[in-house]
Amino acid sequence: MTDIKAFQKKIGYHFKNEQLLRQALTHSSYANEKHLKKMSDNERLEFLGDAVLEIISSDFLYQNYPNLPEGELTKLRASIVCEPTLALCTKEICLGDYLLLGKGEDQTGGRSRKSILSDALEAVIGAIYLDGGFANAKEFVLKYILTDIEHKQLFYDSKTILQEIVQGEHEQLTYILTDESGPDHNKSFTVEVCVGEKILGTGSGHTKKAAEQEAAYQALLTIKAEKGSRECI
């Protein structure tokens, strides 16, 4: 049983209809395992939340980036509302801890699976929209998603940006798989990204691609910190 009250306190929004929030946190694996009635899981709320998030993020970017053309706005929005970035946003509210998952899904790492986390976050947005209207949904999105845009874009484009930096300095960039563990249905990969023989970042994920993206992002943060420290000297 998930602690609905604690989650509401964490996100700073209290539902008039707590059943909406419970549904938003209910994964299909839990609904199937508990033989809940049809459409008791969060998939319909995710559908709604996805649309609400798109209009809020589109409006935010339109208002705050008046000099960006349509193509750049589309790319920037994609970097914010993509699955990996949304999953990253859930860490602040510990969303994974509150999900209702089937035993099998729970035991195979479902609470940290990016697809489950991003879908649940959109479902929570949909639930807030139905319970408290557009203004409350917008406040939630602004507070937990439309923040630190620069780092979210960096995360989304990490592999491409890192490749461009390394190519510009005529260095060799390589991703090295250093660890692979877990059963086939719940693999965990660890990857190091190196320039020459220097390790710039390490990342982990349920796929090699996700691990490489995290490693590239950590490498970019390292490069940024090194440049910042040199500029301060």
Side-chain angles (χ1 to χ4, degrees):
M1 188 66 66
T2 194
D3 192 338
I4 295 287
K5 299 290 186 188
F7 185 71
Q8 290 177 93
K9 187 175 181 181
K10 184 169 281 291
I11 66 174
Y13 178 79
H14 294 273
F15 280 76
K16 296 185 285 289
N17 178 5
E18 289 188 349
Q19 183 54 38
L20 278 170
L21 176 57
R22 183 176 177 80
Q23 184 176 350
L25 299 173
T26 301
H27 186 253
S28 57
S29 62
Y30 182 89
N32 293 334
E33 187 177 282
K34 298 296 182 181
H35 305 293
L36 301 181
K37 64 181 181 180
K38 195 174 181 181
M39 293 185 289
S40 295
D41 60 37
N42 62 10
E43 290 176 0
R44 280 171 52 85
L45 284 173
E46 176 212 334
F47 164 80
L48 178 61
D50 176 66
V52 174
L53 175 59
E54 182 155 327
I55 185 62
I56 292 171
S57 57
S58 299
D59 176 67
F60 175 86
L61 296 175
Y62 183 88
Q63 300 294 343
N64 287 276
Y65 295 85
N67 298 319
L68 283 188
E70 181 267 344
E72 290 300 310
L73 286 172
T74 299
K75 185 179 178 184
L76 186 53
R77 183 180 63 197
S79 73
I80 297 166
V81 302
C82 69
E83 179 184 295
T85 310
L86 289 180
L88 193 67
C89 294
T90 67
K91 290 184 178 180
E92 185 179 351
I93 56 175
C94 304
L95 180 58
D97 294 345
Y98 297 93
L99 296 178
L100 290 165
L101 300 175
K103 286 182 180 177
E105 193 65 62
D106 197 359
Q107 290 169 357
T108 56
R111 293 189 188 280
S112 60
R113 190 162 288 123
K114 290 181 174 64
S115 58
I116 291 177
L117 289 170
S118 61
D119 289 351
L121 184 61
E122 289 180 333
V124 169
I125 294 167
I128 293 174
Y129 171 75
L130 289 177
D131 188 76
F134 186 78
N136 282 302
K138 183 176 181 179
E139 184 178 343
F140 176 84
V141 170
L142 290 174
K143 186 175 182 181
Y144 295 112
I145 299 173
L146 295 176
T147 56
D148 207 1
I149 302 297
E150 181 188 345
H151 274 97
K152 289 191 170 89
Q153 189 173 23
L154 197 67
F155 178 74
Y156 176 73
D157 290 327
S158 54
K159 290 185 72 175
T160 302
I161 294 170
L162 183 61
Q163 184 69 43
E164 289 172 353
I165 290 171
V166 171
Q167 281 181 341
E169 296 180 357
H170 307 291
E171 296 277 3
Q172 180 70 31
L173 178 69
T174 53
Y175 291 91
I176 301 169
L177 180 65
T178 59
D179 186 58
E180 181 179 337
S181 60
D184 289 341
H185 59 269
N186 188 33
K187 285 283 189 186
S188 179
F189 300 91
T190 302
V191 168
E192 290 177 348
V193 60
C194 305
V195 175
E197 295 185 356
K198 183 181 180 182
I199 300 170
L200 282 183
T202 302
S204 60
H206 286 293
T207 65
K208 290 179 185 176
K209 184 178 178 181
E212 287 175 358
Q213 182 184 27
E214 177 66 28
Y217 177 62
Q218 294 301 328
L220 288 172
L221 294 182
T222 299
I223 292 169
K224 192 173 183 180
E226 288 177 350
K227 284 183 177 178
S229 64
R230 283 201 297 267
E231 288 169 2
C232 292
I233 295 171

